[in-house]
Amino acid sequence: MPRPPMDAPQDHANDTDVDVEAVVDDASATDPDDVVARVLTSAASRSSGYTLFGSGAAALQTGDASGGSSDDGEQYDREDRQALRRVAGLSTELEDVTEVEYRQLRLENVVIIGVYPQGALHDAENSLRELAALAETAGAVVLDGLLQRKPHPDPSTYLGRGKAQELKSIVQALGADTVIADTELAPSQRRALEDAVGVKVIDRTAVILDIFSQHAKSREGKAQVELAQLEYLLPRLRGWGESMSRQAGGQVGGAGAGMGSRGPGETKIELDRRRIHTRMAKLRKSITAMKPAREAKRANRRRNTVPSVAIAGYTNAGKSSLLNRITKAGVLVENSLFATLDATVRRNVTSDGREYTLADTVGFVRNLPHQLVEAFRSTLEEVADSDVIVHVVDAAHPDPAGQIATVRDVIGEVGARHIPELVVFNKADLVDDGQLLVLRGLVPDAVFVSARTGLGIDELMERIETLIPSPSNEVHVIVPFDRGDLVTLLHERGKVLSTDYDERGTIVHALVGAELAAALAPFAEVVPAPAVAG
């Protein structure tokens, strides 16, 4: 029996409907009673009348906006991630809940919703577009978006009662099976909206947590994500019929079932809460146990006076692409939000030979869940312990000022406001001269680069060299010829001002850190004091 193509484009619903009808005709001609043909016929007969979200294009930037240069390496991780992509499916929760084996293969079809006060329409639209990009990254197809102007979300159903009925009509017309709210919903709001709409309702926080759970690779990253998920789940537990609400205790234990049914007098939901608390305690201990290894690495860098530069910024701004361009680190680069979560540290050298490290950190997003900030605090310590923060901003984003404000808020939460900041507008090759003037007015001393083409990278490296701390201890030493290792250290960890040679060894005048100055003390050369005139 013919099957729909696995790599068929999913961005436009009309194109998909045409393909589905063709497959239905072929399938029906072959076997009218076939299960797949019946499900496809049901999908093709859905009513229309509602426009897709925006113009029907994907919410993520099209093209090779996130990098794609030869400096990105082989990108094997990207191939592994794409190998398990879900494909467009054959039914929805609403129309055919019996075809379980086929429902497991389908992409979730979602409708996104939001509430905004008067005068905040532009920000609400940008936030909704970002939510659409998050949903696509999590593995869903965004069918439509719905915004309601309202001073405050409805305490019961988030949207007003009339808007909730309109949402139900849209969900039924488009065949959606999930509704995503552009804020964190209270458990009661989520439950009431599900009852009103008839499909699963989740919020922005749940989508971000789902992306994090898919993309976490390291043991520490997986533990941090699980801890954040459990903190989010704990207040949202609810009973599912009698299995979660049966009391087992007393003379009427087990609803009067008699002997063998009397238990500790605890509901199943209370037992689940206790297990979650126990698991969270274990995860916190595990994350704390991983901290000494990170601290030892940082202490080693501090002892060797190696400056640290942290690359921070909004998600999908091109931080990993920039790291690959500078150091050829081969970090995963993908046009999706939160493609890389684990911190990556690479070594680099200035033009005068000084070593420093570049650390790629997790991206930020507006309304970043508080539990994620707390869970990833150990990863964000790379930002707090750095000497310079390279703040990467997407120059082609419609709201760069909002991105800058969001990232600076998170930097303040981790206690890094005092660290020198260098704003870098990436993807400068995607904007015109007028937009460049606007961005220069936004941050006058910013650097404009393109990680894909290499534009402005040399200027960026020069600015980083001027910002990283220079050694402050001046030394005049004569290093014996058999101690060439000390000369190498002087070039790597200090700033060599002059070099000369005589029969005693290598004469070096340099600026070094306190630790290296102490190690070089036995080789210090006595410099005569300058003669005083008169």
Side-chain angles (χ1 to χ4, degrees):
M1 184 200 69
R3 293 183 180 272
M6 301 293 283
D7 57 348
Q10 301 297 331
D11 290 342
H12 302 280
N14 294 334
D15 297 340
T16 305
D17 290 342
V18 172
D19 294 338
V20 168
E21 289 174 2
V23 174
V24 170
D25 292 339
D26 294 340
S28 300
T30 304
D31 186 2
D33 297 328
D34 190 271
V35 174
V36 177
R38 175 168 57 82
V39 177
L40 289 174
T41 303
S42 175
S45 63
R46 291 173 184 153
S47 58
S48 59
Y50 291 93
T51 59
L52 297 184
F53 176 74
S55 61
L60 291 169
Q61 290 180 354
T62 58
D64 197 14
S66 62
S69 68
S70 58
D71 298 300
D72 292 332
E74 298 295 338
Q75 295 292 304
Y76 293 121
D77 290 341
R78 186 196 297 174
E79 295 177 6
D80 293 341
R81 185 174 293 178
Q82 294 289 344
L84 293 177
R85 284 291 187 194
R86 287 169 284 182
V87 298
L90 307 175
S91 66
T92 66
E93 300 284 351
L94 281 179
E95 298 202 5
D96 199 338
V97 297
T98 61
E99 311 299 338
V100 178
E101 64 274 22
Y102 297 127
R103 278 194 298 115
Q104 291 175 347
L105 297 176
R106 56 120 173 92
L107 284 162
E108 283 191 82
N109 297 317
V110 304
V111 174
I112 55 180
I113 59 175
V115 173
Y116 69 97
Q118 187 171 2
L121 178 59
H122 181 68
D123 291 339
E125 288 179 345
N126 285 334
S127 181
L128 211 63
R129 289 189 182 94
E130 184 175 273
L131 180 60
L134 287 167
E136 288 181 3
T137 302
V141 175
V142 179
L143 301 181
D144 205 349
L146 189 65
L147 279 173
Q148 181 181 23
R149 192 180 70 183
K150 195 176 177 67
H152 303 285
D154 190 285
S156 175
T157 57
Y158 182 65
L159 297 176
R161 183 175 301 177
K163 215 65 173 178
Q165 291 302 314
E166 181 182 346
L167 175 62
K168 182 178 181 180
S169 302
I170 293 175
V171 166
Q172 292 176 341
L174 297 178
D177 43 30
T178 304
V179 172
I180 306 177
D182 190 24
T183 186
E184 186 168 330
L185 295 178
S188 59
Q189 286 178 315
R190 177 180 170 184
R191 194 158 47 243
L193 192 57
E194 280 185 350
D195 294 339
V197 179
V199 296
K200 180 178 68 176
V201 176
I202 59 176
D203 55 21
R204 185 188 187 95
T205 302
V207 176
I208 294 175
L209 289 172
D210 185 80
I211 296 172
F212 272 54
S213 65
Q214 292 181 47
H215 293 180
K217 293 293 184 184
S218 67
R219 187 166 63 96
E220 183 177 7
K222 291 178 180 178
Q224 290 168 332
V225 171
E226 185 180 354
L227 177 61
Q229 287 178 318
L230 292 176
E231 289 179 347
Y232 173 78
L233 175 65
L234 188 59
R236 291 168 175 80
L237 285 178
R238 57 181 177 177
W240 291 94
E242 294 181 356
S243 64
M244 296 286 278
S245 59
R246 255 197 325 261
Q247 285 283 353
Q251 294 299 317
V252 291
M259 290 185 296
S261 63
R262 302 182 181 94
E266 184 176 38
T267 61
K268 193 172 185 299
I269 193 170
E270 290 169 345
L271 187 63
D272 288 346
R273 287 195 185 103
R274 186 152 48 83
R275 286 177 175 170
I276 288 177
H277 279 297
T278 303
R279 179 61 180 165
M280 287 169 61
K282 290 182 178 179
L283 287 171
R284 289 194 180 99
K285 289 181 180 178
S286 176
I287 294 173
T288 303
M290 300 175 196
K291 189 173 182 179
R294 293 191 309 274
E295 288 294 336
K297 293 177 182 178
R298 294 194 188 110
N300 191 40
R301 292 200 295 264
R302 285 193 293 267
R303 183 173 63 253
N304 295 329
T305 63
V306 178
S308 174
V309 178
I311 303 177
Y314 214 77
T315 180
N316 207 34
K319 299 182 298 299
S320 299
S321 300
L322 196 61
L323 181 68
N324 288 345
R325 168 65 69 170
I326 296 173
T327 67
K328 294 181 172 55
V331 179
L332 173 68
V333 171
E334 193 174 26
N335 186 23
S336 64
L337 307 188
F338 300 113
T340 51
L341 301 180
D342 302 310
T344 303
V345 182
R346 292 293 184 268
R347 169 184 173 272
N348 204 32
V349 183
T350 63
S351 59
D352 57 1
R354 287 179 293 154
E355 284 187 341
Y356 66 95
T357 60
L358 276 168
D360 180 22
T361 60
V362 63
F364 306 140
V365 72
R366 70 176 73 195
N367 301 324
L368 189 67
H370 178 71
Q371 54 264 36
L372 271 180
V373 177
E374 290 299 319
F376 276 78
R377 186 168 293 276
S378 57
T379 301
L380 296 174
E381 287 173 0
E382 291 290 347
V383 177
D385 291 344
S386 63
D387 298 298
V388 179
I389 297 176
V390 175
H391 180 175
V392 182
V393 184
D394 184 356
H397 193 272
D399 185 23
Q403 285 195 355
I404 293 173
T406 298
V407 173
R408 286 176 174 170
D409 287 343
V410 180
I411 288 175
E413 286 188 40
V414 298
R417 288 191 186 275
H418 63 285
I419 299 174
E421 176 194 47
L422 174 60
V423 177
V424 178
F425 285 103
N426 191 25
K427 308 181 187 178
D429 56 320
L430 300 180
V431 297
D432 54 22
D433 294 339
Q435 183 65 16
L436 285 176
L437 287 175
V438 174
L439 295 175
R440 288 191 186 278
L442 188 63
V443 185
D445 60 343
V447 180
F448 290 84
V449 305
S450 171
R452 181 177 63 174
T453 64
L455 172 70
I457 297 297
D458 292 338
E459 181 185 356
L460 172 61
M461 302 306 297
E462 292 174 2
R463 292 287 298 275
I464 291 177
E465 288 182 21
T466 59
L467 288 174
I468 59 176
S470 295
S472 56
N473 297 286
E474 186 177 7
V475 294
H476 294 264
V477 294
I478 302 176
V479 183
F481 289 122
D482 61 348
R483 293 302 308 272
D485 57 318
L486 292 178
V487 178
T488 303
L489 284 177
L490 280 166
H491 283 280
E492 290 180 349
R493 301 179 189 173
K495 186 174 183 179
V496 177
L497 303 177
S498 66
T499 304
D500 199 1
Y501 304 93
D502 64 11
E503 67 279 0
R504 296 171 296 173
T506 306
I507 305 172
V508 183
H509 177 204
L511 296 174
V512 298
E515 297 257 350
L516 188 54
L520 292 168
F523 308 100
E525 179 189 21
V526 178
V527 180
V532 180

